[in-house]
Each structure stands twice: as C-alpha cells, then as structure tokens.
Amino acid sequence: LALAAAMFTHNYVSSISPGSDPARNPDLQRALFVQEHTPPDAVIYIAGVSAGYNNGKIYLPYFAKRQARVVDWIVGRQGPFPRSLLSSLRNDRNLPVFVISELVEPGEALSSLVSDHNLDIEDVPSLFRSLGLEKAASMPDGFALYRVTFKGGG
C-alpha cells in the first residue's frame, strides 16, 4: 500500500499535475502558440515521432483548431519518400502551409524520423527548404513555425 501511494504521488507530481496546469504543459503551450501565429485554415506539418512534438497529432486539431500533417505517417503509409511527402504538400498548396522546427532543424525528432524511414539526415529539411521557407514565429524554448512559400510553384 505504501508503494502504491508513493507511485501515485510520484506520477501526480511529475506527470498529472503539470499536464493539467496549462502554464506547465509545453504541448498545450505549443498548440496555443500555433493557433496564435497561423490562420484558421492552416495546415501544420509535424514529424509525429515520440522524440518530438508527438502530442501535436492531438493537440493541434483539438486545441489549436488546425489540421496536422504527420510526416511519419505520410512517409510510412502513403509511399516512398520524397514522392509521398511532395504529393501531400502539393495537395495542400492552396492552403497556408506551415512546418514546425523539428522537421527542418537538427534534433532528436528529425534524427528519429529519418532513422525510422532509412533517410539521410538532410533529406526532409532539404525538401522543405527547396519549396521555400520563411520563419513565421518562434518560442523562447526554440520551437518555431516556418511558412512554406512554394517558391517556383512547388
């Protein structure tokens, strides 16, 4: 019983309480940041891997009211890279398209994504850069939004 109480206390202090306090929930703060810095019809591309903003799959549609495009799923289920990702981006080109920093800047999320799909570390960032990127906004923790400009028609 003492062990169960200790485990509950630990879980509450380390996970439940911070997650229920909006100011201490970084995933919620990121979703609200996205909502504030993107138009309502925006599409947001995320890696969708556990090393990154994985909760964006849920938080972006629910809290930010934005469509999330999960690159892990696109590349894993819709065909080989780069064709699958380019196809998704082309389908979205008439909407405001944004990509979060985990897909274009070095870090654990990008490393995990490319490892899971046997890609080179520069494959995904290079594809997005080739379409044109403009930094739209960034948070103090480094989380950033880039607008895809589709220079040259995408």
Side-chain angles (χ1 to χ4, degrees):
L1 189 59
L3 179 60
M7 288 175 60
F8 173 79
T9 301
H10 171 76
N11 287 338
Y12 183 81
V13 169
S14 66
S15 299
I16 297 169
S17 180
S20 63
D21 177 0
R24 293 173 50 195
N25 183 333
D27 290 331
L28 176 59
Q29 293 306 310
R30 289 177 175 170
L32 297 175
F33 177 84
V34 168
Q35 182 181 42
E36 181 180 335
H37 291 91
T38 61
D41 58 342
V43 174
I44 316 299
Y45 279 77
I46 66 172
V49 295
S50 60
Y53 186 42
N54 192 36
N55 284 339
K57 297 172 194 173
I58 299 163
Y59 277 62
L60 290 174
Y62 189 79
F63 294 108
K65 308 286 191 258
R66 302 297 184 269
Q67 297 179 62
R69 298 287 189 266
V70 181
V71 173
D72 183 45
W73 295 346
I74 293 168
V75 175
R77 298 178 184 168
Q78 297 178 15
F81 179 88
R83 187 181 73 222
S84 57
L85 185 53
L86 283 170
S87 175
S88 181
L89 285 157
R90 283 188 192 112
N91 288 338
D92 290 331
R93 74 174 167 253
N94 293 323
L95 296 169
V97 175
F98 291 81
V99 58
I100 65 172
S101 49
E102 68 181 19
L103 286 169
V104 296
E105 297 174 2
E108 289 182 39
L110 182 60
S111 294
S112 177
L113 177 70
V114 300
S115 174
D116 290 350
H117 296 285
N118 299 312
L119 303 173
D120 184 74
I121 194 69
E122 273 302 308
D123 287 345
V124 174
S126 293
L127 184 143
F128 282 109
R129 283 194 296 268
S130 74
L131 298 174
L133 290 177
E134 293 177 355
K135 194 172 206 174
S138 61
M139 295 178 71
D141 69 359
F143 180 87
L145 282 167
Y146 291 85
R147 175 97 187 236
V148 179
T149 63
F150 295 101
K151 67 178 182 186

PDB file of all heavy atoms in Angstrom, residues 19-48:
ATOM      1  N   GLY A  19       0.620  18.384 -16.357  1.00  0.00           N
ATOM      2  CA  GLY A  19      -0.198  18.295 -17.561  1.00  0.00           C
ATOM      3  C   GLY A  19      -1.535  18.983 -17.434  1.00  0.00           C
ATOM      4  O   GLY A  19      -2.114  19.425 -18.417  1.00  0.00           O
ATOM      5  N   SER A  20      -2.043  19.082 -16.213  1.00  0.00           N
ATOM      6  CA  SER A  20      -3.342  19.718 -16.015  1.00  0.00           C
ATOM      7  C   SER A  20      -3.223  21.223 -15.791  1.00  0.00           C
ATOM      8  O   SER A  20      -4.218  21.928 -15.833  1.00  0.00           O
ATOM      9  CB  SER A  20      -4.079  19.065 -14.847  1.00  0.00           C
ATOM     10  OG  SER A  20      -3.361  19.255 -13.649  1.00  0.00           O
ATOM     11  N   ASP A  21      -2.034  21.710 -15.560  1.00  0.00           N
ATOM     12  CA  ASP A  21      -1.796  23.150 -15.416  1.00  0.00           C
ATOM     13  C   ASP A  21      -1.352  23.684 -16.773  1.00  0.00           C
ATOM     14  O   ASP A  21      -0.248  23.384 -17.223  1.00  0.00           O
ATOM     15  CB  ASP A  21      -0.711  23.388 -14.361  1.00  0.00           C
ATOM     16  CG  ASP A  21      -0.356  24.861 -14.203  1.00  0.00           C
ATOM     17  OD1 ASP A  21      -0.945  25.712 -14.902  1.00  0.00           O
ATOM     18  OD2 ASP A  21       0.530  25.160 -13.383  1.00  0.00           O
ATOM     19  N   PRO A  22      -2.199  24.458 -17.442  1.00  0.00           N
ATOM     20  CA  PRO A  22      -1.861  24.918 -18.797  1.00  0.00           C
ATOM     21  C   PRO A  22      -0.496  25.607 -18.901  1.00  0.00           C
ATOM     22  O   PRO A  22       0.210  25.430 -19.882  1.00  0.00           O
ATOM     23  CB  PRO A  22      -2.996  25.887 -19.134  1.00  0.00           C
ATOM     24  CG  PRO A  22      -4.133  25.450 -18.296  1.00  0.00           C
ATOM     25  CD  PRO A  22      -3.516  24.917 -17.026  1.00  0.00           C
ATOM     26  N   ALA A  23      -0.124  26.337 -17.885  1.00  0.00           N
ATOM     27  CA  ALA A  23       1.157  27.044 -17.932  1.00  0.00           C
ATOM     28  C   ALA A  23       2.345  26.091 -17.865  1.00  0.00           C
ATOM     29  O   ALA A  23       3.440  26.437 -18.313  1.00  0.00           O
ATOM     30  CB  ALA A  23       1.238  28.053 -16.794  1.00  0.00           C
ATOM     31  N   ARG A  24       2.129  24.894 -17.328  1.00  0.00           N
ATOM     32  CA  ARG A  24       3.222  23.931 -17.188  1.00  0.00           C
ATOM     33  C   ARG A  24       3.116  22.785 -18.190  1.00  0.00           C
ATOM     34  O   ARG A  24       3.814  21.795 -18.071  1.00  0.00           O
ATOM     35  CB  ARG A  24       3.235  23.377 -15.758  1.00  0.00           C
ATOM     36  CG  ARG A  24       3.610  24.453 -14.752  1.00  0.00           C
ATOM     37  CD  ARG A  24       3.490  24.017 -13.317  1.00  0.00           C
ATOM     38  NE  ARG A  24       4.156  22.744 -13.035  1.00  0.00           N
ATOM     39  CZ  ARG A  24       3.946  22.029 -11.950  1.00  0.00           C
ATOM     40  NH1 ARG A  24       3.096  22.439 -11.045  1.00  0.00           N
ATOM     41  NH2 ARG A  24       4.579  20.896 -11.760  1.00  0.00           N
ATOM     42  N   ASN A  25       2.250  22.918 -19.175  1.00  0.00           N
ATOM     43  CA  ASN A  25       2.064  21.888 -20.190  1.00  0.00           C
ATOM     44  C   ASN A  25       2.647  22.396 -21.504  1.00  0.00           C
ATOM     45  O   ASN A  25       1.986  23.136 -22.243  1.00  0.00           O
ATOM     46  CB  ASN A  25       0.570  21.582 -20.330  1.00  0.00           C
ATOM     47  CG  ASN A  25       0.292  20.479 -21.314  1.00  0.00           C
ATOM     48  OD1 ASN A  25       1.056  20.248 -22.242  1.00  0.00           O
ATOM     49  ND2 ASN A  25      -0.834  19.808 -21.149  1.00  0.00           N
ATOM     50  N   PRO A  26       3.893  22.016 -21.824  1.00  0.00           N
ATOM     51  CA  PRO A  26       4.529  22.559 -23.031  1.00  0.00           C
ATOM     52  C   PRO A  26       3.811  22.187 -24.327  1.00  0.00           C
ATOM     53  O   PRO A  26       3.797  22.971 -25.273  1.00  0.00           O
ATOM     54  CB  PRO A  26       5.946  21.987 -22.994  1.00  0.00           C
ATOM     55  CG  PRO A  26       5.930  20.882 -22.011  1.00  0.00           C
ATOM     56  CD  PRO A  26       4.777  21.118 -21.081  1.00  0.00           C
ATOM     57  N   ASP A  27       3.198  21.016 -24.374  1.00  0.00           N
ATOM     58  CA  ASP A  27       2.474  20.636 -25.588  1.00  0.00           C
ATOM     59  C   ASP A  27       1.272  21.539 -25.812  1.00  0.00           C
ATOM     60  O   ASP A  27       0.986  21.954 -26.945  1.00  0.00           O
ATOM     61  CB  ASP A  27       2.035  19.172 -25.522  1.00  0.00           C
ATOM     62  CG  ASP A  27       3.200  18.207 -25.621  1.00  0.00           C
ATOM     63  OD1 ASP A  27       4.208  18.554 -26.265  1.00  0.00           O
ATOM     64  OD2 ASP A  27       3.097  17.111 -25.052  1.00  0.00           O
ATOM     65  N   LEU A  28       0.567  21.872 -24.754  1.00  0.00           N
ATOM     66  CA  LEU A  28      -0.560  22.784 -24.866  1.00  0.00           C
ATOM     67  C   LEU A  28      -0.075  24.184 -25.237  1.00  0.00           C
ATOM     68  O   LEU A  28      -0.670  24.847 -26.089  1.00  0.00           O
ATOM     69  CB  LEU A  28      -1.351  22.831 -23.553  1.00  0.00           C
ATOM     70  CG  LEU A  28      -2.504  23.831 -23.510  1.00  0.00           C
ATOM     71  CD1 LEU A  28      -3.525  23.540 -24.614  1.00  0.00           C
ATOM     72  CD2 LEU A  28      -3.164  23.816 -22.142  1.00  0.00           C
ATOM     73  N   GLN A  29       1.005  24.626 -24.621  1.00  0.00           N
ATOM     74  CA  GLN A  29       1.550  25.945 -24.948  1.00  0.00           C
ATOM     75  C   GLN A  29       1.937  26.035 -26.423  1.00  0.00           C
ATOM     76  O   GLN A  29       1.721  27.052 -27.075  1.00  0.00           O
ATOM     77  CB  GLN A  29       2.740  26.284 -24.048  1.00  0.00           C
ATOM     78  CG  GLN A  29       2.368  26.485 -22.591  1.00  0.00           C
ATOM     79  CD  GLN A  29       1.280  27.515 -22.401  1.00  0.00           C
ATOM     80  OE1 GLN A  29       1.347  28.616 -22.928  1.00  0.00           O
ATOM     81  NE2 GLN A  29       0.242  27.149 -21.662  1.00  0.00           N
ATOM     82  N   ARG A  30       2.483  24.961 -26.969  1.00  0.00           N
ATOM     83  CA  ARG A  30       2.841  24.941 -28.389  1.00  0.00           C
ATOM     84  C   ARG A  30       1.600  24.996 -29.267  1.00  0.00           C
ATOM     85  O   ARG A  30       1.577  25.706 -30.272  1.00  0.00           O
ATOM     86  CB  ARG A  30       3.688  23.712 -28.701  1.00  0.00           C
ATOM     87  CG  ARG A  30       5.069  23.838 -28.112  1.00  0.00           C
ATOM     88  CD  ARG A  30       5.921  22.635 -28.324  1.00  0.00           C
ATOM     89  NE  ARG A  30       7.261  22.933 -27.813  1.00  0.00           N
ATOM     90  CZ  ARG A  30       8.201  22.056 -27.661  1.00  0.00           C
ATOM     91  NH1 ARG A  30       7.977  20.791 -27.971  1.00  0.00           N
ATOM     92  NH2 ARG A  30       9.385  22.415 -27.194  1.00  0.00           N
ATOM     93  N   ALA A  31       0.562  24.272 -28.890  1.00  0.00           N
ATOM     94  CA  ALA A  31      -0.677  24.308 -29.667  1.00  0.00           C
ATOM     95  C   ALA A  31      -1.280  25.710 -29.657  1.00  0.00           C
ATOM     96  O   ALA A  31      -1.719  26.214 -30.701  1.00  0.00           O
ATOM     97  CB  ALA A  31      -1.677  23.290 -29.125  1.00  0.00           C
ATOM     98  N   LEU A  32      -1.297  26.355 -28.512  1.00  0.00           N
ATOM     99  CA  LEU A  32      -1.837  27.708 -28.415  1.00  0.00           C
ATOM    100  C   LEU A  32      -0.975  28.696 -29.196  1.00  0.00           C
ATOM    101  O   LEU A  32      -1.486  29.631 -29.821  1.00  0.00           O
ATOM    102  CB  LEU A  32      -1.976  28.122 -26.949  1.00  0.00           C
ATOM    103  CG  LEU A  32      -2.951  27.270 -26.131  1.00  0.00           C
ATOM    104  CD1 LEU A  32      -2.920  27.685 -24.656  1.00  0.00           C
ATOM    105  CD2 LEU A  32      -4.361  27.330 -26.700  1.00  0.00           C
ATOM    106  N   PHE A  33       0.334  28.477 -29.201  1.00  0.00           N
ATOM    107  CA  PHE A  33       1.262  29.301 -29.985  1.00  0.00           C
ATOM    108  C   PHE A  33       0.967  29.154 -31.473  1.00  0.00           C
ATOM    109  O   PHE A  33       0.913  30.141 -32.214  1.00  0.00           O
ATOM    110  CB  PHE A  33       2.706  28.873 -29.663  1.00  0.00           C
ATOM    111  CG  PHE A  33       3.751  29.589 -30.446  1.00  0.00           C
ATOM    112  CD1 PHE A  33       4.209  30.827 -30.041  1.00  0.00           C
ATOM    113  CD2 PHE A  33       4.300  29.016 -31.583  1.00  0.00           C
ATOM    114  CE1 PHE A  33       5.186  31.499 -30.763  1.00  0.00           C
ATOM    115  CE2 PHE A  33       5.283  29.665 -32.309  1.00  0.00           C
ATOM    116  CZ  PHE A  33       5.732  30.910 -31.895  1.00  0.00           C
ATOM    117  N   VAL A  34       0.756  27.917 -31.914  1.00  0.00           N
ATOM    118  CA  VAL A  34       0.417  27.667 -33.317  1.00  0.00           C
ATOM    119  C   VAL A  34      -0.890  28.369 -33.668  1.00  0.00           C
ATOM    120  O   VAL A  34      -1.004  29.020 -34.717  1.00  0.00           O
ATOM    121  CB  VAL A  34       0.339  26.145 -33.605  1.00  0.00           C
ATOM    122  CG1 VAL A  34      -0.300  25.874 -34.955  1.00  0.00           C
ATOM    123  CG2 VAL A  34       1.725  25.512 -33.527  1.00  0.00           C
ATOM    124  N   GLN A  35      -1.867  28.259 -32.809  1.00  0.00           N
ATOM    125  CA  GLN A  35      -3.161  28.910 -33.058  1.00  0.00           C
ATOM    126  C   GLN A  35      -2.997  30.423 -33.192  1.00  0.00           C
ATOM    127  O   GLN A  35      -3.591  31.036 -34.079  1.00  0.00           O
ATOM    128  CB  GLN A  35      -4.129  28.590 -31.925  1.00  0.00           C
ATOM    129  CG  GLN A  35      -5.509  29.189 -32.134  1.00  0.00           C
ATOM    130  CD  GLN A  35      -6.444  28.868 -30.990  1.00  0.00           C
ATOM    131  OE1 GLN A  35      -6.055  28.927 -29.823  1.00  0.00           O
ATOM    132  NE2 GLN A  35      -7.677  28.523 -31.322  1.00  0.00           N
ATOM    133  N   GLU A  36      -2.173  30.995 -32.343  1.00  0.00           N
ATOM    134  CA  GLU A  36      -1.975  32.442 -32.344  1.00  0.00           C
ATOM    135  C   GLU A  36      -1.219  32.931 -33.589  1.00  0.00           C
ATOM    136  O   GLU A  36      -1.442  34.049 -34.045  1.00  0.00           O
ATOM    137  CB  GLU A  36      -1.203  32.852 -31.086  1.00  0.00           C
ATOM    138  CG  GLU A  36      -0.961  34.339 -30.958  1.00  0.00           C
ATOM    139  CD  GLU A  36      -0.190  34.691 -29.698  1.00  0.00           C
ATOM    140  OE1 GLU A  36      -0.243  33.936 -28.715  1.00  0.00           O
ATOM    141  OE2 GLU A  36       0.471  35.748 -29.710  1.00  0.00           O
ATOM    142  N   HIS A  37      -0.340  32.090 -34.149  1.00  0.00           N
ATOM    143  CA  HIS A  37       0.546  32.536 -35.220  1.00  0.00           C
ATOM    144  C   HIS A  37       0.227  31.960 -36.601  1.00  0.00           C
ATOM    145  O   HIS A  37       1.033  32.088 -37.524  1.00  0.00           O
ATOM    146  CB  HIS A  37       1.994  32.227 -34.845  1.00  0.00           C
ATOM    147  CG  HIS A  37       2.484  33.068 -33.707  1.00  0.00           C
ATOM    148  ND1 HIS A  37       2.377  32.661 -32.389  1.00  0.00           N
ATOM    149  CD2 HIS A  37       3.025  34.301 -33.680  1.00  0.00           C
ATOM    150  CE1 HIS A  37       2.866  33.604 -31.612  1.00  0.00           C
ATOM    151  NE2 HIS A  37       3.266  34.616 -32.367  1.00  0.00           N
ATOM    152  N   THR A  38      -0.924  31.326 -36.734  1.00  0.00           N
ATOM    153  CA  THR A  38      -1.316  30.778 -38.038  1.00  0.00           C
ATOM    154  C   THR A  38      -2.781  31.107 -38.306  1.00  0.00           C
ATOM    155  O   THR A  38      -3.573  31.235 -37.372  1.00  0.00           O
ATOM    156  CB  THR A  38      -1.121  29.253 -38.100  1.00  0.00           C
ATOM    157  OG1 THR A  38      -1.937  28.625 -37.103  1.00  0.00           O
ATOM    158  CG2 THR A  38       0.338  28.861 -37.911  1.00  0.00           C
ATOM    159  N   PRO A  39      -3.164  31.204 -39.578  1.00  0.00           N
ATOM    160  CA  PRO A  39      -4.576  31.434 -39.894  1.00  0.00           C
ATOM    161  C   PRO A  39      -5.404  30.175 -39.628  1.00  0.00           C
ATOM    162  O   PRO A  39      -4.869  29.064 -39.590  1.00  0.00           O
ATOM    163  CB  PRO A  39      -4.561  31.786 -41.377  1.00  0.00           C
ATOM    164  CG  PRO A  39      -3.254  31.362 -41.907  1.00  0.00           C
ATOM    165  CD  PRO A  39      -2.308  31.243 -40.767  1.00  0.00           C
ATOM    166  N   PRO A  40      -6.717  30.334 -39.461  1.00  0.00           N
ATOM    167  CA  PRO A  40      -7.578  29.191 -39.110  1.00  0.00           C
ATOM    168  C   PRO A  40      -7.545  28.028 -40.106  1.00  0.00           C
ATOM    169  O   PRO A  40      -7.755  26.887 -39.717  1.00  0.00           O
ATOM    170  CB  PRO A  40      -8.978  29.801 -39.044  1.00  0.00           C
ATOM    171  CG  PRO A  40      -8.748  31.237 -38.751  1.00  0.00           C
ATOM    172  CD  PRO A  40      -7.451  31.592 -39.433  1.00  0.00           C
ATOM    173  N   ASP A  41      -7.273  28.303 -41.374  1.00  0.00           N
ATOM    174  CA  ASP A  41      -7.258  27.225 -42.372  1.00  0.00           C
ATOM    175  C   ASP A  41      -5.868  26.634 -42.597  1.00  0.00           C
ATOM    176  O   ASP A  41      -5.653  25.869 -43.538  1.00  0.00           O
ATOM    177  CB  ASP A  41      -7.849  27.703 -43.697  1.00  0.00           C
ATOM    178  CG  ASP A  41      -7.114  28.900 -44.282  1.00  0.00           C
ATOM    179  OD1 ASP A  41      -6.371  29.585 -43.549  1.00  0.00           O
ATOM    180  OD2 ASP A  41      -7.296  29.169 -45.488  1.00  0.00           O
ATOM    181  N   ALA A  42      -4.931  26.941 -41.717  1.00  0.00           N
ATOM    182  CA  ALA A  42      -3.553  26.470 -41.871  1.00  0.00           C
ATOM    183  C   ALA A  42      -3.424  24.967 -41.685  1.00  0.00           C
ATOM    184  O   ALA A  42      -4.178  24.340 -40.935  1.00  0.00           O
ATOM    185  CB  ALA A  42      -2.633  27.182 -40.881  1.00  0.00           C
ATOM    186  N   VAL A  43      -2.460  24.423 -42.377  1.00  0.00           N
ATOM    187  CA  VAL A  43      -2.071  23.023 -42.251  1.00  0.00           C
ATOM    188  C   VAL A  43      -0.669  23.027 -41.650  1.00  0.00           C
ATOM    189  O   VAL A  43       0.209  23.743 -42.122  1.00  0.00           O
ATOM    190  CB  VAL A  43      -2.064  22.334 -43.632  1.00  0.00           C
ATOM    191  CG1 VAL A  43      -1.528  20.926 -43.529  1.00  0.00           C
ATOM    192  CG2 VAL A  43      -3.460  22.346 -44.233  1.00  0.00           C
ATOM    193  N   ILE A  44      -0.462  22.211 -40.605  1.00  0.00           N
ATOM    194  CA  ILE A  44       0.803  22.198 -39.879  1.00  0.00           C
ATOM    195  C   ILE A  44       1.464  20.830 -40.043  1.00  0.00           C
ATOM    196  O   ILE A  44       0.896  19.812 -39.650  1.00  0.00           O
ATOM    197  CB  ILE A  44       0.600  22.473 -38.374  1.00  0.00           C
ATOM    198  CG1 ILE A  44      -0.376  23.625 -38.130  1.00  0.00           C
ATOM    199  CG2 ILE A  44       1.942  22.678 -37.674  1.00  0.00           C
ATOM    200  CD1 ILE A  44       0.024  24.966 -38.685  1.00  0.00           C
ATOM    201  N   TYR A  45       2.661  20.805 -40.622  1.00  0.00           N
ATOM    202  CA  TYR A  45       3.418  19.561 -40.775  1.00  0.00           C
ATOM    203  C   TYR A  45       4.295  19.361 -39.548  1.00  0.00           C
ATOM    204  O   TYR A  45       5.026  20.260 -39.138  1.00  0.00           O
ATOM    205  CB  TYR A  45       4.278  19.610 -42.044  1.00  0.00           C
ATOM    206  CG  TYR A  45       3.481  19.293 -43.285  1.00  0.00           C
ATOM    207  CD1 TYR A  45       2.626  20.233 -43.852  1.00  0.00           C
ATOM    208  CD2 TYR A  45       3.561  18.036 -43.876  1.00  0.00           C
ATOM    209  CE1 TYR A  45       1.873  19.940 -44.973  1.00  0.00           C
ATOM    210  CE2 TYR A  45       2.811  17.731 -45.013  1.00  0.00           C
ATOM    211  CZ  TYR A  45       1.968  18.692 -45.550  1.00  0.00           C
ATOM    212  OH  TYR A  45       1.220  18.391 -46.664  1.00  0.00           O
ATOM    213  N   ILE A  46       4.175  18.159 -38.957  1.00  0.00           N
ATOM    214  CA  ILE A  46       4.965  17.776 -37.785  1.00  0.00           C
ATOM    215  C   ILE A  46       5.623  16.428 -38.065  1.00  0.00           C
ATOM    216  O   ILE A  46       5.155  15.668 -38.912  1.00  0.00           O
ATOM    217  CB  ILE A  46       4.110  17.700 -36.507  1.00  0.00           C
ATOM    218  CG1 ILE A  46       3.075  16.572 -36.590  1.00  0.00           C
ATOM    219  CG2 ILE A  46       3.416  19.035 -36.236  1.00  0.00           C
ATOM    220  CD1 ILE A  46       2.320  16.312 -35.291  1.00  0.00           C
ATOM    221  N   ALA A  47       6.689  16.132 -37.336  1.00  0.00           N
ATOM    222  CA  ALA A  47       7.346  14.829 -37.503  1.00  0.00           C
ATOM    223  C   ALA A  47       6.413  13.716 -37.030  1.00  0.00           C
ATOM    224  O   ALA A  47       6.263  12.689 -37.687  1.00  0.00           O
ATOM    225  CB  ALA A  47       8.672  14.779 -36.753  1.00  0.00           C
ATOM    226  N   GLY A  48       5.811  13.893 -35.855  1.00  0.00           N
ATOM    227  CA  GLY A  48       4.894  12.889 -35.328  1.00  0.00           C
ATOM    228  C   GLY A  48       5.574  11.696 -34.703  1.00  0.00           C
ATOM    229  O   GLY A  48       4.994  10.621 -34.612  1.00  0.00           O
TER     230      GLY A  48
END
